[in-house]
Amino acid sequence: MEEVKLHGFWPSPFSQRVIWALKLKGVEYEYIEEDITNKSELLLKYNPVYKKIPVLVHGGKPIVESLVILEYIEETWPHNPLLPTDAYQKAIARFWIQFGTDKPCFRTFFQASGEELEKAAKEILEILKILEEQGLGDKKFFGGDTINLVDIAHGWLPLWFESIEEAVGVKVMESTTLPRLHAWIQNFMEVDVIKENLPDREKVLVHMKKLREKFVANHSN
Amino acid sequence: MEEVKLHGFWASPFSHKVIWALKLKGVEYEYIEEDITNKSELLLKYNPVYKKIPILVHGGKPIAESTVILEYIEETWPQNPLLPTDAYQKAIARFWIQFGAYEPYFRKFFHASGEEQEKAAKEIFGMLKILEEQGLGDKKFFGGDSINLVDIAHGWLPLWFGSIEEAVGVKVMESTTLPRLHAWIQNFMEVDVIKENLPDREKVLVHVKKVREKFVANHSN
């Protein structure tokens, strides 16, 4: 059994995704906290391209980019599958995993103000509406009765995106306008592995507020 | 054997990626040309989320998003593998497939002018330098001696990005500054399946120029 290490950062939703997958699979791992304001030599060696966490190191070999890591985990530890086995259903799952990930409106929402912020909020609402109506539908979780990689991929919406909404002072995820997503959030946050592996909400909010201040200052320049 | 159909657009690099993968696997398929300025009911039914091509329809079931389609093809027709079988090498391949994929600077390079475009050109150059030095290295292809999904993913660079460079009047991919990439382009364009499955270069250039004019008009508004 080769050793597994995860280099992460406590408020990052991206390293949290990897923690959730490892825990769901019952994989033993060592967690290494990285100070991203003062990146370690090891981090720079493991991820020379992006210099970012999370980095999964399995038997000394590093893998980066959270979605690539999740696929690797799914393949390497196939028990408690987190993707459908049917190729077509797997493709549908991968579609919903990537859905919304490349959209600049999330970054704009975090960094901008005024009209630009309003526009980003509208775009996010549209994305989330499609996600809940066509991705989730009537299901309890994206994975059906239990969570899978699609739930994990969107698992940043509670706590992390909620903290960003609070830091920015604009709420997008209302239970009235996104009822299914709201229900999904309640259910998701009740799952044991999720519930037991969350950063401190207040600390994340402080962190997001600090980032917001910095971004707003830079954005207007 | 369930029938395979591909809804594509003649000028799109994304539908060509799917064509290349199907051809490399020797999969018989029916190609349906879509007029993206006048989208068919079928297209809208098959891809309600993005309303885009390419769409692969296998046994009546549609799959959208070219990267998702490519993974589906790899899994469904495992002959002539286009991804490494080793989980770690597969993760490395997936890293390089996603590298540079969603970057806003490609769009900026295409739409903008002046300083904004210069900045985008520099960012693209930076990304291509990393791609050739760390992704390709000394290999003939990203896949080694033969092409794989990583080569296919970046296969838009020769003809399509080359046309954009011409339409925009700014060259980023010089053989002097990106020698390995330049060599890779020569080799890639010589592969039979690629060579035999390319749109007319002149027609693509005309198409790209038209699209550029429209963007520049909208961008300055």
Side-chain angles (χ1 to χ4, degrees):
Chain A
M1 259 279 278
E2 293 183 309
E3 57 175 5
V4 181
K5 298 185 186 194
L6 171 62
H7 294 249
F9 179 49
W10 67 270
S12 163
F14 303 102
S15 48
Q16 212 64 36
R17 286 171 169 177
V18 179
I19 290 170
W20 293 333
L22 290 170
K23 294 277 185 184
L24 284 163
K25 299 277 190 179
V27 176
E28 296 283 321
Y29 68 97
E30 181 193 341
Y31 178 79
I32 296 126
E33 183 68 38
E34 288 283 346
D35 175 4
I36 60 169
T37 61
N38 185 20
K39 293 176 181 181
S40 70
E41 284 301 311
L42 208 52
L43 176 61
L44 300 176
K45 178 182 114 176
Y46 283 152
N47 193 354
V49 173
Y50 294 128
K51 308 175 178 48
K52 285 181 174 179
I53 57 89
V55 180
L56 187 78
V57 189
H58 187 200
K61 297 186 287 191
I63 301 139
V64 305
E65 281 305 290
S66 65
L67 297 182
V68 174
I69 295 171
L70 293 178
E71 291 267 6
Y72 176 81
I73 290 171
E74 176 60 9
E75 212 166 301
T76 306
W77 293 282
H79 52 276
N80 188 19
L82 297 174
L83 275 180
T85 36
D86 171 71
Y88 183 72
Q89 291 305 325
K90 196 184 290 190
I92 300 299
R94 283 181 172 141
F95 177 91
W96 290 109
I97 285 169
Q98 63 79 47
F99 180 74
T101 51
D102 58 335
K103 299 285 174 238
C105 51
F106 286 104
R107 186 175 289 264
T108 307
F109 180 82
F110 199 3
Q111 301 183 359
S113 324
E115 241 184 76
E116 217 184 334
L117 172 60
E118 269 184 60
K119 184 167 174 262
K122 280 202 181 84
E123 284 178 62
I124 293 174
L125 178 62
E126 276 169 39
I127 287 169
L128 295 180
K129 203 105 200 79
I130 293 172
L131 185 65
E132 72 157 21
E133 284 180 358
Q134 299 192 45
L136 185 63
D138 292 322
K139 303 197 299 288
K140 182 181 184 187
F141 298 113
F142 289 94
D145 295 324
T146 54
I147 63 173
N148 74 358
L149 288 191
V150 186
D151 298 88
I152 289 174
H154 299 290
W156 76 291
L157 292 170
L159 201 147
W160 289 270
F161 185 62
E162 283 174 351
S163 298
I164 290 172
E165 288 178 309
E166 222 180 304
V168 164
V170 172
K171 199 149 166 62
V172 180
M173 300 193 293
E174 304 266 24
S175 58
T176 43
T177 47
L178 294 165
R180 283 172 171 171
L181 196 70
H182 181 80
W184 171 78
I185 285 173
Q186 311 312 309
N187 290 325
F188 181 76
M189 295 293 266
E190 273 302 301
V191 173
D192 285 342
V193 162
I194 306 302
K195 195 159 60 178
E196 293 158 12
N197 292 282
L198 290 171
D200 182 282
R201 197 180 192 111
E202 281 312 307
K203 290 190 176 146
V204 170
L205 181 58
V206 168
H207 175 80
M208 293 302 185
K209 280 180 169 168
K210 273 193 217 156
L211 282 180
R212 165 79 177 160
E213 273 168 34
K214 208 170 63 171
F215 284 144
V216 167
N218 286 340
H219 198 77
S220 26
N221 294 345
Chain B
M1 255 279 278
E2 292 183 309
E3 58 174 6
V4 181
K5 298 185 186 192
L6 171 61
H7 293 250
F9 177 56
W10 70 272
S12 162
F14 303 101
S15 48
H16 274 85
K17 289 177 184 181
V18 180
I19 289 170
W20 295 335
L22 290 169
K23 294 275 185 186
L24 284 163
K25 300 276 188 176
V27 177
E28 297 282 322
Y29 67 98
E30 182 193 340
Y31 178 79
I32 295 125
E33 182 68 35
E34 287 283 346
D35 176 3
I36 58 172
T37 60
N38 184 19
K39 295 176 182 182
S40 69
E41 285 300 313
L42 208 53
L43 174 63
L44 300 176
K45 179 181 114 177
Y46 282 153
N47 191 354
V49 173
Y50 293 126
K51 308 176 178 52
K52 286 181 172 179
I53 56 88
I55 299 167
L56 189 78
V57 188
H58 188 200
K61 296 187 287 191
I63 302 144
E65 282 302 289
S66 62
T67 42
V68 175
I69 294 171
L70 294 175
E71 291 266 6
Y72 176 81
I73 289 172
E74 177 61 9
E75 212 166 303
T76 305
W77 295 282
Q79 68 271 24
N80 188 19
L82 299 174
L83 275 181
T85 36
D86 171 69
Y88 182 74
Q89 291 305 324
K90 196 183 290 189
I92 300 300
R94 285 183 172 139
F95 175 86
W96 291 110
I97 284 169
Q98 62 81 48
F99 181 72
Y102 295 125
E103 297 301 343
Y105 41 70
F106 280 108
R107 188 173 287 266
K108 284 216 178 82
F109 180 78
F110 196 11
H111 298 192
S113 325
E115 239 184 75
E116 214 185 336
Q117 189 189 59
E118 266 184 61
K119 183 166 174 264
K122 280 201 180 87
E123 288 177 285
I124 292 172
F125 179 77
M127 171 255 166
L128 294 176
K129 199 96 196 88
I130 293 173
L131 185 66
E132 73 156 21
E133 285 182 354
Q134 301 191 44
L136 184 63
D138 292 324
K139 304 197 297 291
K140 182 179 185 189
F141 298 113
F142 289 94
D145 296 325
S146 55
I147 62 171
N148 74 357
L149 287 192
V150 187
D151 297 89
I152 288 173
H154 298 290
W156 77 291
L157 290 170
L159 193 150
W160 288 268
F161 185 62
S163 298
I164 289 174
E165 287 178 309
E166 227 183 299
V168 158
V170 174
K171 200 150 165 61
V172 180
M173 299 190 296
E174 303 267 22
S175 58
T176 43
T177 47
L178 292 165
R180 285 172 171 170
L181 195 70
H182 180 81
W184 171 77
I185 285 173
Q186 312 310 310
N187 290 324
F188 180 76
M189 296 294 266
E190 274 301 301
V191 173
D192 285 343
V193 162
I194 305 304
K195 195 160 61 178
E196 294 157 13
N197 292 282
L198 290 170
D200 183 279
R201 198 178 188 112
E202 281 311 307
K203 289 191 176 146
V204 170
L205 182 58
V206 167
H207 171 79
V208 163
K209 278 179 171 169
K210 273 193 218 152
V211 175
R212 159 91 174 154
E213 273 168 33
K214 209 171 58 173
F215 282 142
V216 168
N218 284 341
H219 198 75
S220 25
N221 294 347

